[in-house]
């Protein structure tokens, strides 16, 4: 017959532990100081590293939003299907659309022409940062009519000024202002292919969207809660929106 050996349990005397620790500390004050200092410095270093990481991540996120002008950017090289468009319409709290392509513009005043990057825009893009123009209000008013924002280097090259007219495809546009700076625009890109903004609603009339046109489609989204972007991306991927087309910021 087996007998269970009783398990001896001893209560820990907390007071005795503190008493012994205090006695050892009094005998080795220098070691205690070194030990406590090491703990304090280690904790301080960890706090500083994590704080630096969080601040840097916050700054990178803010700069990324300013560069792209949105929380989420979806781009494609061809028109999306009706099913995909229905999914895109459910994203974000605020939306904007853009069609961009290379084309020649023609200045009616001096009969000059130049290869540019045409961006047909619809919506209050950018959601972060601004499109800098001269005059300043041209960035918000050019979409109201057949007006355009023309890059400042092109304006200088052809000695043009706001109020002059340009021709893109089959449509004439009044120059509403000088484009000083646009989201995502760098010095190199502005030199190779300066940007010209036009309202998206007049793009079809230009006749430049026929079969064979190399047009890039972009959809910009702003979220009231940017933390919800990741969940929306996963949900959208389930509806066959390729992950390579999605840029999450």
């Amino acid at each position: 017959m087996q007998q269970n050996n009783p398990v001896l349990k001893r209560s820990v005397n907390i007071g005795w532990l503190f008493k012994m620790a205090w006695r050892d500390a009094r005998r080795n004050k220098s070691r205690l100081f070194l030990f406590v200092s090491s703990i304090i410095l280690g904790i301080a270093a960890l706090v500083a590293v994590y704080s630096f990481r969080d601040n840097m991540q916050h700054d990178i996120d803010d700069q990324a939003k300013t560069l792209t002008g949105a929380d989420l950017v979806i781009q494609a090289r061809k028109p999306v299907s009706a099913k995909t468009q229905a999914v895109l319409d459910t994203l974000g709290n605020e939306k904007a659309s853009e069609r961009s392509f290379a084309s020649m513009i023609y200045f009616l005043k001096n009969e000059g022409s130049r290869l540019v990057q045409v961006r047909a825009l619809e919506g209050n893009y950018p959601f972060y940062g601004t499109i800098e123009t001269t005059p300043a209000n041209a960035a918000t008013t050019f979409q109201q009519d057949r007006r355009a924002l023309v890059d400042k280097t092109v304006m200088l090259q052809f000695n043009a000024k706001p109020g002059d007219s340009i021709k893109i495809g089959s449509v004439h546009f009044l120059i509403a202002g000088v484009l000083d700076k646009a989201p995502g625009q760098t010095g190199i890109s502005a030199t190779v292919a300066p940007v010209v903004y036009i309202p998206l609603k007049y793009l079809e009339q230009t006749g430049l969207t026929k079969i064979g046109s190399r047009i890039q489609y972009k959809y910009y989204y702003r979220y009231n809660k940017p933390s919800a972007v990741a969940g929306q991306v996963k949900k959208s991927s389930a509806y066959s929106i390729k992950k390579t087309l999605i840029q999450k910021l």
Side-chain angles (χ1 to χ4, degrees), residues 157-193:
Q157 179 182 354
F158 294 97
N159 194 27
K161 61 182 183 296
D164 292 346
S165 295
I166 59 173
K167 184 179 180 181
I168 301 177
S170 302
V171 180
H172 292 182
F173 292 90
L174 186 72
I175 299 178
V178 179
L179 180 61
D180 297 318
K181 185 178 180 182
Q185 185 180 18
T186 62
I188 297 177
S189 63
T191 302
V192 176

Side-chain angles (χ1 to χ4, degrees), residues 114-129:
R114 171 70 189 267
L115 178 67
V116 298
Q117 184 75 13
V118 177
R119 295 184 181 179
L121 183 64
E122 180 181 65
N124 295 324
Y125 178 82
F127 305 122
Y128 303 98

Side-chain angles (χ1 to χ4, degrees), residues 76-114:
R77 295 183 179 179
K78 60 181 181 180
V80 298
S81 64
K83 181 180 179 180
T84 302
Q85 185 63 55
V87 176
L88 294 179
D89 291 340
T90 65
L91 301 178
N93 298 106
E94 192 173 358
K95 312 173 185 65
S97 300
E98 180 187 284
R99 310 286 185 270
S100 61
F101 55 93
S103 179
M104 300 293 293
I105 65 169
Y106 178 75
F107 286 84
L108 300 179
K109 182 179 179 180
N110 53 21
E111 300 182 347
S113 60
R114 171 70 189 267

